[in-house]
Amino acid sequence: MEKIELAKQKKQVKKRNRFIFRSAILVVLFGALVFAIVSNLTAEEEAAVDIKEQAPDFQLDRVANNEDEVESSLQLSDLEGKGVMLNFWATYCEPCEREMPYMEELYPKYKEQGVEIVAVSVDATELVIDKFVDHYNLSFPILHDKDSQVLDAYGIRPLPTTYFIDENGVVVDRVLGELSLERLEGYLQEIVPKGT
């Protein structure tokens, strides 16, 4: 009888130890998960150019098929005095593709009011960008960030990401994700230069 009782106690001790060990592992894994999530969120916020900050200047080449201008490149600071919609996108991004026709539709109206739409593609090759531009008959400046320098400078995570910059080069709004026609127009109205 004593042996049975002793065996039961050993079994209970083993069960309790296993439970404690498994619980400790779960707590450690949960802690690591929370740490990873918090680290990613903080890194994303720290890396991004925020509202009310000066938009970092850059110069990128225009896509060949989109060159109505004499200049083969565009520098953000050259647009000072205009409102700027700065859109980061890629041809493989479906939400980017859906919002491009809205940008093209509104471009002539807002260009007259002193707002420039600039789309920065992060695609690997210019060939796919050229095909995309031709397919949608885009007339606003399309720039190619082939080395992701501007993407990194702005801390871009999801595509599309759009910055709305006032005539003084200050970020007024930042939108992560796709814009509808109505939302896009609302943001464009915010960056129309005051003297217009």
Side-chain angles (χ1 to χ4, degrees):
M1 202 68 157
E2 214 174 279
K3 285 184 180 182
I4 296 173
E5 196 62 39
L6 194 58
K8 279 184 181 178
Q9 285 176 349
K10 279 185 178 182
K11 194 174 181 179
Q12 285 178 341
V13 168
K14 278 185 178 181
K15 267 186 164 180
R16 190 181 66 227
N17 287 346
R18 250 189 313 213
F19 176 76
I20 291 170
F21 182 70
R22 288 177 180 165
S23 297
I25 288 175
L26 283 173
V27 167
V28 168
L29 289 174
F30 182 73
L33 177 67
V34 168
F35 177 77
I37 290 171
V38 169
S39 294
N40 281 343
L41 290 174
T42 348
E44 187 174 313
E45 284 304 310
E46 288 173 9
V49 176
D50 213 348
I51 295 170
K52 295 185 181 174
E53 290 182 358
Q54 196 72 27
D57 195 18
F58 62 86
Q59 183 167 351
L60 289 173
D61 290 336
R62 290 175 183 260
V63 174
N65 287 354
N66 188 250
E67 286 181 26
D68 293 337
E69 308 285 328
V70 180
E71 298 289 323
S72 63
S73 66
L74 186 142
Q75 188 160 352
L76 184 63
S77 57
D78 291 343
L79 299 175
E80 196 170 316
K82 295 182 177 187
V84 178
M85 173 188 169
L86 182 59
N87 177 263
F88 291 90
W89 68 286
T91 58
Y92 55 80
C93 162
E94 288 182 26
C96 302
E97 187 172 357
R98 287 193 296 266
E99 70 182 9
M100 281 290 170
Y102 303 147
M103 292 161 60
E104 183 59 36
E105 182 180 330
L106 295 172
Y107 182 58
K109 173 183 175 182
Y110 284 92
K111 184 173 174 67
E112 282 181 18
Q113 296 179 43
V115 173
E116 193 63 59
I117 293 177
V118 177
V120 176
S121 173
V122 297
D123 283 285
T125 66
E126 206 168 300
L127 183 63
V128 293
I129 306 169
D130 285 343
K131 286 181 180 178
F132 188 94
V133 168
D134 286 346
H135 182 295
Y136 287 99
N137 200 24
L138 302 176
S139 60
F140 50 85
I142 306 286
L143 309 179
H144 188 201
D145 188 15
K146 57 183 165 245
D147 301 323
S148 299
Q149 291 172 305
V150 181
L151 184 84
D152 293 343
Y154 278 78
I156 303 301
R157 293 283 187 272
L159 292 176
T161 292
T162 308
Y163 282 87
F164 294 90
I165 303 165
D166 71 13
E167 69 266 27
N168 301 310
V170 176
V171 176
V172 174
D173 274 303
R174 178 182 70 196
V175 178
L176 307 178
E178 183 179 353
L179 286 160
S180 66
L181 181 63
E182 295 77 23
R183 284 183 67 211
L184 176 56
E185 184 151 28
Y187 285 116
L188 289 173
Q189 287 170 359
E190 287 182 31
I191 59 170
V192 171
K194 305 289 185 260
T196 312

